[in-house]
Amino acid sequence: MADMEQILDHKYAIDRDCMTLSRHVLQQSHSFSSEAQDLSALMSRIALAAKLIARRLTRAGLVEDALGFTGQTNVQGEAVKKMDVYANQVFISVFEQSGLVCRLASEEMEEPYYIPENCPIGRYTLLYDPIDGSSNLDTNLNVGAIFAIRRQEGDDLDGTGQDLLQSGRSQIAAGYVLFGPSTLLVYSIGTGVHTFTLDPSLGEFILSHENVQIPAHGPVYSVNEGNFWQWDESIRDYIRYVHRHEGYTARYGGALVGDFHRILNQGGVFLYPGTVQKPEGKLRLLYESAPLAFLIEQAGGRASTGTEEILDVVPRELHARTPLIIGSRDDVSLVESFIQERQREEREKTTWEWAKDER
Ligand code: P6P
């Protein structure tokens, strides 16, 4: 008969493999309320979407019509990849017949998408970027999916999602899927940030890192320096600073989720500032910056436009963009200090010119 020590050894391993996403959400909710049950079911559906997309990605080079462009452009004016369309549909399909999500708002769809049979009982809206970083697809580099869940409040009378134009503080859950060597699902319902790793042999996401906390400072700065010529002088000041001080290292993968995941785990800062061509920046608020800002604050970090907390920004339209500076508390503040210094100098210059004109 096995002795107690052997039984306990098995128990740890079995318990670990039993810490699935749906069980963890209920444990984090400390409740079996209807909302807790809803969140658990929502996360399970997102996990199913992640598995379906991961399965296609791992075989994309072998599957007819999986890679390459569709020849269309999306509402962002970006060329649409076949995988963008596939992943967008996967998220829709996993929520049909769910009774959970009445409406989905996606980077790939100009207007929100309604699932009539889920409305009005469906009490939630899913906002998502189904494949983020799709420029990496054809070279087998990491891509991601980003999601946020908001309660379905108010009436979207004209179907354009005007009721979604609220700050990120109204998110009740957020996360991302990182399709890399492992498929990771990182989420928060406001009780910390937790990482799950897909075990393909089980077909389950299993808890691999609970209560992720970002260091107050880290060595990594992640930005596309090819845009240097397009940046505000204050951002150039920050880049010149890190070029001239020891202890910094540049990492940029061209896909937000992978760059963010590195910062979350190692510390540092990711920046996508406004440019001459895109003064508001490139990244979208509702389904890219706001979900990641929700996560980073839960992990002890910060997310800013440079002058405002991302989670306080109220968008004027569904696909609104914002500049994004996100990561370790001290590193985000350092970038902001260069912006504040330039603003101070500008005010002094204006005052001086005004005084000179008065003389
Ligand atoms: P750039 C991918 O298209 C994306 O939206 C983000 O995933 C990524 O951080 C950014 O754009 C990269 O943009 O201009 O550096 O190629």
Side-chain angles (χ1 to χ4, degrees), residues 12 32 44 70 77 112 164 168 180 183 187 276 305 313 338 349:
Y12 169 76
F32 290 100
S44 293
T70 62
L164 287 171
T183 298
Y187 90 101
V276 167
T305 62
V313 178
F338 288 99
K349 184 177 161 211

Side-chain angles (χ1 to χ4, degrees), residues 64-167:
E64 190 68 30
D65 254 359
L67 293 174
F69 292 91
T70 62
Q72 310 295 318
T73 54
N74 65 15
V75 64
Q76 323 293 339
E78 293 166 348
V80 176
K81 291 276 182 81
K82 293 170 187 169
M83 191 59 80
D84 289 322
V85 174
Y86 175 87
N88 191 65
Q89 183 55 48
V90 163
F91 276 94
I92 293 171
S93 300
V94 300
F95 281 106
E96 282 168 346
Q97 307 304 328
S98 70
L100 286 165
V101 167
C102 166
R103 179 177 54 174
L104 298 95
S106 158
E107 178 191 82
E108 297 303 329
M109 301 186 291
E110 184 155 6
E111 306 287 354
Y113 179 95
Y114 280 83
I115 304 178
E117 70 271 19
N118 287 352
C119 306
I121 45 165
R123 292 175 293 286
Y124 306 95
T125 294
L126 178 80
L127 299 102
Y128 66 112
D129 181 359
I131 289 284
D132 174 76
S134 47
S135 55
N136 278 358
L137 280 171
D138 297 340
T139 49
N140 192 38
L141 295 174
N142 72 74
V143 294
I146 308 172
F147 62 87
I149 297 167
R150 297 182 185 224
R151 288 188 189 84
Q152 177 93 357
E153 290 166 342
D155 296 318
D156 182 10
L157 297 175
D158 60 0
T160 59
Q162 295 305 305
D163 61 304
L164 287 171
L165 304 184
Q166 298 181 37
S167 81

Side-chain angles (χ1 to χ4, degrees), residues 179-228:
F179 302 101
S182 295
T183 298
L184 303 183
L185 193 153
V186 181
Y187 90 101
S188 177
I189 59 171
T191 59
V193 175
H194 314 291
T195 300
F196 284 72
T197 299
L198 178 62
D199 180 339
S201 67
L202 276 177
E204 283 284 1
F205 281 96
I206 303 298
L207 179 65
S208 47
H209 188 170
E210 194 169 43
N211 292 317
V212 180
Q213 284 293 300
I214 185 171
H217 163 66
V220 178
Y221 72 98
S222 184
V223 67
N224 182 345
E225 296 202 36
N227 291 331
F228 188 91

Side-chain angles (χ1 to χ4, degrees), residues 235-250:
I235 301 295
R236 294 179 183 171
D237 290 341
Y238 168 71
I239 296 298
R240 286 188 275 259
Y241 176 89
V242 295
H243 284 175
R244 294 167 183 164
H245 287 75
E246 192 178 353
Y248 290 95
T249 189

